[in-house]
């Protein structure tokens, strides 16, 4: 790659004006047309995937083509053992959730959803690592959660008193992670902690493994064809949840296009006011994964002790939580000296996915 100017995107997708506006803003801030080497890293990353989609929809035969479909399928197959174990555990507990064990199960399924984020294809450039059995590994992984505010999330949901409690989950990766997100969402409904869960996917192929609306149908079809009875049972339950509108996929491209822009979430209120308004009615918003975290905090070079609230730069449409394994060199909300202590143990601690945070703002 050479340091060429970024081309203005001109096609028929609903976000074209947003990208034109962001290109103008970058040009104003840089004093010149943004290039691959001069524009902010997050902007260039997002631009690359959007430009790839531009090439697809401008083509004659590939307008609906997902170039990452095979890698998503391979990731699913590589994670089957872990998904079978998780489905067995979930099916054995979901119909007999007792009040005295509900909080611990909530913590288990929340942290399984957190650690399943390790199965991210964009970090490994398409290479497949061995799938992790998340439930058996939870106790081992606890030491690597640098900030754990899961109890705040539990207390918030457990204390809600309403006839319409809705959790919104801004999705990240297909495969094991999306499977674990559905398990967690089903647990919330089965435990009668919530009445509805809305999922927000990406409208276009994005960062290799991100969930698109069509991937939901793909997953349910794969589960229906599984030779594992617990996987099939999960698929049947979730199809029923979607049919009953207890699970919803937000597939309105005019809303979810924001998740494939390069803007930080603090821009949402004026760049995507309808999405911001919709999220503001949520009982709890859960943001999954590294890219969503980077957009939450603007991908800025914050001091690691900066509070999560301050780093959000005013973004707080509703009570919210971020589940993120660290794969990029930005993190906030740590204690004084904590970053230095971790650095001594692992110099690559910010980028390998070994460490994680559960951060909330209620």
């Amino acid at each position: 790659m050479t340091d060429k100017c970024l081309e203005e995107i001109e096609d028929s997708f609903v976000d074209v004006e947003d990208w034109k506006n962001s290109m103008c803003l970058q040009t104003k801030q840089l004093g010149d047309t943004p290039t691959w080497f001069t524009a902010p890293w997050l902007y260039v990353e997002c631009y690359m995937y959007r430009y790839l989609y531009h090439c697809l929809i401008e083509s004659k035969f590939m307008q609906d083509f997902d170039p990452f479909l095979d890698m998503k399928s391979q990731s699913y197959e590589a994670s089957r053992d872990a998904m079978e174990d998780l489905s067995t555990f979930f099916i054995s507990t979901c119909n007999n959730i007792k009040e005295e064990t509900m909080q611990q199960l909530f913590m288990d399924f929340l942290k399984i959803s957190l650690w399943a984020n390790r199965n991210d294809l964009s970090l490994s450039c398409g290479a497949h690592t061995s799938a992790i059995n998340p439930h058996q590994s939870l106790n081992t992984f606890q030491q690597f959660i640098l900030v754990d505010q899961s109890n705040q999330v539990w207390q918030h949901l457990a204390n809600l008193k309403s006839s319409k409690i809705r959790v919104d989950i801004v999705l990240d990766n297909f495969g094991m992670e999306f499977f674990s997100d559905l398990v967690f969402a089903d647990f919330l409904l089965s435990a009668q902690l919530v009445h509805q869960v809305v999922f927000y996917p990406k409208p276009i192929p994005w960062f290799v493994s991100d969930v698109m609306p069509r991937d939901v149908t793909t997953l349910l079809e794969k589960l229906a064809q599984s030779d594992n009875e617990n996987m099939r049972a999960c698929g049947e339950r979730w199809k029923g949840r979607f049919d009953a509108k207890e699970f919803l996929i937000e597939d309105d491209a005019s809303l979810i296009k924001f998740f494939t822009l390069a803007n930080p979430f603090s821009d949402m209120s004026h760049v995507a006011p309808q999405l911001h308004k919709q999220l503001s009615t949520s009982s709890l918003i859960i943001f999954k994964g590294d890219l969503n975290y980077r957009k939450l905090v603007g991908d800025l070079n914050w001091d690691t002790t900066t509070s999560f609230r301050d780093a959000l730069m005013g973004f707080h449409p509703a009570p919210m939580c971020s589940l993120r394994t660290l794969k990029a060199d930005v993190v906030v909300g740590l204690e004084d000296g904590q970053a230095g202590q971790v650095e001594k143990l692992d110099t690559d601690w910010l980028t390998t996915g070994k460490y994680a945070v559960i951060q909330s703002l209620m």
Side-chain angles (χ1 to χ4, degrees):
M1 181 184 293
T2 57
D3 192 25
K4 294 180 180 178
C5 292
L6 303 183
E7 300 175 24
E8 187 172 273
I9 293 172
E10 185 69 67
D11 55 41
S12 60
F13 194 58
V14 68
D15 66 349
V16 163
E17 291 304 315
D18 298 294
W19 277 100
K20 287 181 179 179
N21 291 338
S22 68
M23 184 75 78
C24 289
L25 180 60
Q26 288 297 322
T27 300
K28 183 178 180 180
Q29 291 176 342
L30 294 169
D32 202 351
T33 303
T35 70
W36 288 99
F37 293 171
T38 61
W41 174 237
L42 178 62
Y43 185 86
V44 169
E45 279 186 293
C46 293
Y47 174 88
M48 181 189 72
Y49 284 97
R50 180 57 179 89
Y51 191 81
L52 173 61
Y53 184 62
H54 163 74
C55 295
L56 292 173
I57 62 173
E58 288 293 287
S59 69
K60 186 174 182 179
F61 300 110
M62 303 182 73
Q63 295 175 355
D64 294 323
F65 179 65
D66 181 356
F68 309 124
L69 181 61
D70 284 349
M71 284 184 280
K72 289 179 183 177
S73 296
Q74 291 168 28
S75 175
Y76 172 89
E77 294 301 325
S79 302
R80 280 185 62 183
D81 288 346
M83 286 189 283
E84 287 180 4
D85 289 342
L86 178 53
S87 66
T88 299
F89 174 66
F90 174 66
I91 293 298
S92 69
T93 60
C94 64
N95 293 321
N96 188 30
I97 300 173
K98 299 176 180 177
E99 190 170 347
E100 59 267 25
T101 61
M102 189 182 296
Q103 182 176 357
Q104 185 56 57
L105 287 171
F106 173 87
M107 297 297 182
D108 279 354
F109 288 123
L110 178 77
K111 290 176 181 178
I112 287 170
S113 178
L114 164 71
W115 288 116
N117 178 247
R118 280 185 159 188
N119 290 330
D120 176 355
L121 293 180
S122 68
L123 186 70
S124 58
C125 300
H128 301 291
T129 55
S130 58
I132 299 163
N133 180 334
H135 179 64
Q136 293 182 355
S137 304
L138 287 178
N139 290 336
T140 303
F141 286 166
Q142 184 60 37
Q143 63 184 306
F144 301 116
I145 302 180
L146 302 178
V147 181
D148 185 357
Q149 296 179 330
S150 54
N151 194 56
Q152 292 183 19
V153 182
W154 160 257
Q155 292 294 336
H156 170 71
L157 277 181
N159 291 329
L160 288 176
K161 306 295 180 186
S162 170
S163 59
K164 183 75 173 177
I165 299 173
R166 189 188 89 225
V167 167
D168 292 36
I169 302 179
V170 181
L171 296 169
D172 193 19
N173 300 310
F174 183 70
M176 179 62 194
E177 182 172 7
F178 184 39
F179 184 86
S180 72
D181 294 338
L182 289 166
V183 166
F184 179 50
D186 196 347
F187 165 77
L188 294 176
L189 287 161
S190 299
Q192 299 182 339
L193 290 166
V194 308
H195 302 102
Q196 188 180 63
V197 179
V198 180
F199 300 94
Y200 294 80
K202 305 299 191 301
I204 64 175
W206 196 248
F207 279 67
V208 183
S209 49
D210 280 37
V211 178
M212 297 169 59
R214 70 181 74 169
D215 294 327
V216 180
T217 302
T218 298
L219 178 62
L220 293 179
E221 289 174 349
K222 286 179 179 293
L223 294 176
Q225 297 165 6
S226 174
D227 56 7
N228 180 279
E229 62 178 344
N230 292 312
M231 295 270 280
R232 290 197 306 275
C234 284
E236 291 169 6
R237 289 176 63 90
W238 299 340
K239 184 180 184 304
R241 298 286 196 196
F242 280 113
D243 290 345
K245 300 193 183 308
E246 295 170 326
F247 282 176
L248 288 178
I249 288 286
E250 180 54 78
D251 59 1
D252 183 346
S254 68
L255 285 178
I256 60 175
K257 66 174 183 176
F258 182 82
F259 299 119
T260 50
L261 299 179
N263 298 69
F265 284 112
S266 58
D267 286 351
M268 186 187 293
S269 60
H270 65 270
V271 173
Q274 289 303 311
L275 175 63
H276 190 274
K277 181 179 179 181
Q278 180 165 310
L279 289 175
S280 71
T281 64
S282 178
S283 305
L284 175 69
I285 314 167
I286 299 175
F287 293 91
K288 293 297 308 292
D290 193 70
L291 181 60
N292 281 324
Y293 187 93
R294 290 169 64 195
K295 289 186 174 184
L296 283 171
V297 302
D299 206 39
L300 299 176
N301 188 27
W302 298 103
D303 189 288
T304 59
T305 60
T306 303
S307 72
F308 187 52
R309 178 189 292 273
D310 287 347
L312 291 171
M313 298 179 290
F315 179 70
H316 190 205
M320 54 191 285
C321 168
S322 173
L323 306 181
R324 180 233 186 173
T325 56
L326 277 59
K327 300 173 186 173
D329 53 0
V330 56
V331 66
V332 298
L334 303 190
E335 299 291 336
D336 259 342
Q338 189 176 9
Q341 292 172 2
V342 181
E343 177 81 19
K344 291 177 182 177
L345 297 173
D346 186 346
T347 56
D348 296 324
W349 65 284
L350 281 168
T351 57
T352 60
K354 178 179 178 181
Y355 292 90
V357 292
I358 302 173
Q359 292 175 305
S360 65
L361 184 61
M362 296 296 124

